[in-house]
Amino acid sequence: MNKQFTLLALLIGASLQAQAAQDPFFTITEDSAGSASKGYEGPWAIGISKQGDALLTLHTDNDAGSYFSREPFANFLVDRFNFEPGCLLASSVCNSYWDDQVHRTYQWRIDNLNGGSQRENTGAFSGDENDGIVTALGDTSDDYVGYKMATSPYKSGGYYHVRTAFASVAGNQVDLNAKFTLTNDSGSAVNSLSLPNSMTKLDDRYIVAGTVAVTAGSDSSFKNCYGGNSDKSGHFTYCPGFDTQAAFWVLDSSGDNPKLTVAPSYYRADNSVLETAAATGLAEYNGKLYGVGYSSTGEAGSSTLSGRNVAVFWDLTLSGDTLSFGALSKVPLALGEPGRGDKKMRHSWAVGVNSAGYVVGNQLYTTNKNRNRPTEMFVYKIGQSGNAVIPFENAPAEGANSQAAAINEHSMVVGWRDARNYTSPVVSGTNRLQEAFLYNAASGSAWYLNDLICGKSDSGSKNCAVQSGGKYYHITYANGISADGSIAATAYRYDNETDLNKKQNGVVVSIKMSPAVADFTSIDSKYVVSNPPVVQTAAEESESGGGGGSLFWLTLLAAPFAWWRRRH
C-alpha cells in the first residue's frame, strides 16, 4: 500500500512538473493609436466597449490629479469629490504641483477661468473639448457619448464655456438637451451644462446616464468658479458653479429623439449648499430597472461650500420612451452619511451596477486614517441586509486607498489601489503609487493585475517579459472591463526589469488586456491576494444559512486550471 502511494505521489509530481510552464493569464496589446504623449504625459485608458472591440483613451493637458491626490484623468469640472478637499500633501509638494509652469495645476485653474480645452481624446476618437470629447462607449465602438464645449462663452466676471452632451449611434450624432439655458452678454440664450457618464442599450432603445445643471448656483458660487482667483485661495471649491442633478436620456433605435428625465429630488435637499448629483449607470436586476450614482446632502448649519455627495440608487420605470424615477435609496455604509454623525466620510459615490444586482463605488474620508484620508471601494448588492462591504479596508495597511472604476456582467470589478509596499504618509507627505486590481464581487476573490501578466518557465520560475517584445509593465489604473473580460488599463512600460523594479524611465501607455478565459474561471488560486467578505442579499443568507457566496461562482473558482496551464 505504501509502495502504491509513493508511486502515485511520484506520478502526480511528474504530472505537475510537466504542466508547470504556463502563459500569462492576460496578454497585453498596446493601443498604438493612443500612445503618443501630447504635452502632459498620457494617454490614459478610460474605458472599453462592452463587446471589447475598442479602447477609449484620453490625454490631459494639466496635472491637476497629483495636486488633489486623485487619478490623472479625473473630470474635475463637475465631480465635486475629485477636487473639493484640496491638497493634502506636504506644503512643499503642494507648491511643486501648483506652480506657473506648463502642465501643472496652476495651468488647470487658468484654463478653467479662460475656458480653454484641457482634455483630448487620442486614437480613433481624436479631438479636444471644442471638437467634442468622448467619455464612454456603448456595446461597440460605433456607439458612444461625450460632450462639446462651445467656443462662444457665457461671460459674467469671467468665462464659462457651455458644455453640451451628445450621443452617437452608428454614426448618427445628436445633441442631448440640457435642463435649462443661460443668457449671455448679448442677450442670447445658450445651453448651460450637460455631461454623460455611460450608455446602455436596452431592447431597441439606448439610455444615457449623466448629469445636467438645473440652475446656476448662488451668485458667489458661479462667479468664484468661473471668475475667481487663480491662486490657491480655494475658488475652485465653488465649482462647478451650478447645482447639478442626476439625469437620463432615452433615445430610439436610431439614436434619435432624445428624451431627458431629471431626478425630481436630492437625497437630502439643502439649498444653503452647492448641490451636485449625477447618474453613472443602470441595469436590470430581478425584473426591475435600477440606476446608480450620487446625490446631494448638506451639513447642518453649513455654508455654500459644505455640500457633500452620497452614493445612491434609484428604482426606475421605462415605458415607451419615458423613463421615470421611483424611490431613491442610499447605499448603506458603516461610516454613515457624508457630513453627518462623526463626519468621518466626506463623499461617497456609486460608479456602476450590473444585472446581478451588484453596486460598486467608493467612499472618501474627511478625517485622517494613519496619516492618509483614503478612498475606499465598496460593494453592495441591492436587497442585502446590513452595510456595504469594504473589500480592501486597511489592506495591506491601515488607511490604504482603493477605488472601483467599473463592473461587468460576470460581476468582475476593476480599479486601482495602493501599490504593494507603498504605505508612506499622504497627509503632509507624498502621493502613493497605484496598482490596478481585479475583484470578483460574487466570491470576494481579488488579484493584482500585475500578477496576471507574468508567465512561468518549465522550471516554475516567473517570467514577466514574455509579451510585447520583452517589455515590462506596471499596470497602474484599470478603468473598464468588457463582457468578455477584456480590460482597459493604463500602464508604465519599461525596457528592462531593473527599471521596472526602480520605477524609472517608464513610458505611459494605454493597453488592452485580453484574458485566456472570458469568465476568469481558471485563475490559479495562488494569485489570490485577499478574500474579503462575500456580499449577499437577505434572501441568499436565509437560503445558505449565512455561509459563503454564490455557489455558481464558488464552483467555477474551484474548477481545474487546465484551461490556463499548458505544456511548452
Side-chain angles (χ1 to χ4, degrees):
M1 180 68 178
N2 289 339
K3 187 174 183 180
Q4 290 178 333
F5 181 82
T6 301
L7 179 60
L8 179 61
L10 289 173
L11 288 173
I12 292 175
S15 176
L16 290 176
Q17 178 65 25
Q19 296 185 26
Q22 61 190 33
D23 288 336
F25 186 78
F26 284 102
T27 55
I28 290 176
T29 303
E30 286 191 22
D31 179 34
S32 58
S35 295
S37 181
K38 295 171 56 182
Y40 179 57
E41 66 178 357
W44 313 99
I46 63 169
I48 191 169
S49 61
K50 291 181 176 63
Q51 294 185 15
D53 70 324
L55 289 185
L56 182 59
T57 58
L58 184 75
H59 161 257
T60 57
D61 284 352
N62 307 311
D63 182 14
S66 295
Y67 182 83
F68 297 109
S69 298
R70 307 301 300 169
E71 57 274 20
F73 39 81
N75 187 347
F76 293 97
L77 176 66
V78 293
D79 292 334
R80 192 165 171 76
F81 47 81
N82 276 321
F83 60 82
E84 182 269 337
C87 188
L88 308 176
L89 311 175
S91 57
S92 60
V93 179
C94 288
N95 290 337
S96 71
Y97 286 132
W98 187 291
D99 58 29
D100 57 359
Q101 298 179 36
V102 177
H103 310 312
R104 291 298 192 179
T105 314
Y106 175 88
Q107 188 65 46
W108 166 79
R109 180 58 179 154
I110 289 295
D111 287 346
N112 192 45
L113 295 177
N114 294 335
S117 174
Q118 302 182 53
R119 295 150 64 88
E120 298 88 32
N121 287 130
T122 57
F125 301 99
S126 181
D128 63 17
E129 290 182 291
N130 295 318
D131 303 318
I133 187 168
V134 178
T135 56
L137 301 178
D139 284 353
T140 71
S141 59
D142 290 333
D143 303 333
Y144 53 88
V145 293
Y147 68 90
K148 296 178 182 177
M149 185 172 74
T151 56
S152 177
Y154 171 87
K155 185 177 180 181
S156 179
Y159 288 86
Y160 163 69
H161 282 241
V162 300
R163 288 164 169 82
T164 303
F166 66 82
S168 182
V169 175
N172 178 33
Q173 189 172 119
V174 295
D175 286 341
L176 302 179
N177 53 310
K179 178 66 176 177
F180 78 108
T181 59
L182 295 168
T183 302
N184 64 16
D185 286 353
S186 64
S188 300
V190 294
N191 206 346
S192 55
L193 183 150
S194 56
L195 289 172
N197 291 316
S198 68
M199 184 181 201
T200 302
K201 188 174 183 181
L202 197 64
D203 299 325
D204 60 345
R205 288 154 295 188
Y206 295 83
I207 302 179
V208 177
T211 184
V212 296
V214 291
T215 182
S218 66
D219 190 56
S220 62
S221 293
F222 191 83
K223 288 187 175 180
N224 280 309
C225 178
Y226 301 107
N229 293 334
S230 59
D231 58 20
K232 291 179 285 188
S233 61
H235 283 260
F236 51 82
T237 62
Y238 291 88
C239 294
F242 294 95
D243 293 323
T244 62
Q245 183 55 283
F248 291 95
W249 292 266
V250 179
L251 294 77
D252 63 24
S253 58
S254 299
D256 288 321
N257 305 312
K259 187 169 184 178
L260 171 65
T261 303
V262 178
S265 61
Y266 294 104
Y267 171 72
R268 178 180 288 109
D270 186 346
N271 57 16
S272 66
V273 304
L274 188 64
E275 296 177 304
T276 53
T280 57
L282 81 165
E284 285 187 294
Y285 169 56
N286 278 350
K288 297 185 66 176
L289 191 61
Y290 293 94
V292 299
Y294 57 88
S295 191
S296 185
T297 177
E299 292 184 276
S302 61
S303 67
T304 299
L305 300 182
S306 297
R308 300 289 180 257
N309 296 320
V310 58
V312 297
F313 59 97
W314 297 269
D315 289 341
L316 302 172
T317 300
L318 181 62
S319 177
D321 61 353
T322 300
L323 184 73
S324 58
F325 282 84
L328 185 158
S329 302
K330 175 189 67 174
V331 174
L333 294 163
L335 291 180
E337 297 174 19
R340 300 280 167 170
D342 60 10
K343 301 181 181 179
K344 285 185 177 180
M345 198 197 313
R346 197 173 192 98
H347 298 284
S348 63
W349 63 100
V351 298
V353 60
N354 72 355
S355 60
Y358 289 103
V359 179
V360 295
N362 307 288
Q363 63 179 21
L364 172 63
Y365 271 68
T366 193
T367 56
N368 290 352
K369 192 176 184 182
N370 193 22
R371 296 194 66 184
N372 185 29
R373 296 177 195 171
T375 298
E376 295 175 336
M377 164 193 169
F378 69 73
V379 179
Y380 174 75
K381 189 165 186 179
I382 295 172
Q384 79 173 70
S385 61
N387 295 320
V389 169
I390 312 297
F392 305 121
E393 186 174 16
N394 297 327
E398 183 183 5
N401 294 291
S402 61
Q403 187 163 339
I407 184 171
N408 74 355
E409 287 306 296
H410 290 294
S411 299
M412 305 304 290
V413 183
V414 292
W416 51 91
R417 56 192 297 198
D418 290 342
R420 284 163 283 190
N421 304 318
Y422 278 76
T423 58
S424 59
V426 175
V427 177
S428 299
T430 59
N431 288 317
R432 298 171 182 168
L433 179 68
Q434 298 300 293
E435 184 170 2
F437 68 78
L438 173 68
Y439 172 79
N440 188 329
S443 72
S445 297
W447 301 264
Y448 290 106
L449 287 179
N450 287 307
D451 288 339
L452 301 178
I453 61 172
C454 298
K456 287 188 176 181
S457 66
D458 287 333
S459 62
S461 61
K462 189 176 181 181
N463 181 7
C464 296
V466 297
Q467 52 189 323
S468 297
K471 302 295 184 180
Y472 291 78
Y473 296 87
H474 175 84
I475 305 170
T476 51
Y477 301 101
N479 261 70
I481 180 165
S482 67
D484 70 356
S486 298
I487 295 173
T490 303
Y492 285 88
R493 184 187 67 208
Y494 301 92
D495 288 335
N496 54 70
E497 193 169 9
T498 298
D499 282 351
L500 169 68
N501 293 335
K502 293 183 176 181
K503 300 298 184 292
Q504 64 185 17
N505 304 318
V507 177
V508 177
V509 292
S510 297
I511 60 173
K512 176 181 177 180
M513 304 179 64
S514 302
V517 180
D519 59 10
F520 301 144
T521 61
S522 63
I523 301 180
D524 196 328
S525 60
K526 71 184 68 175
Y527 288 111
V528 175
V529 295
S530 63
N531 284 285
V534 175
V535 180
Q536 292 181 300
T537 65
E540 288 170 336
E541 287 178 341
S542 175
E543 291 174 2
S544 64
S550 164
L551 178 62
F552 172 73
W553 275 102
L554 290 177
T555 302
L556 288 179
L557 288 173
F561 306 127
W563 284 63
W564 182 19
R565 297 178 184 271
R566 69 180 181 88
R567 296 180 63 176
H568 282 205

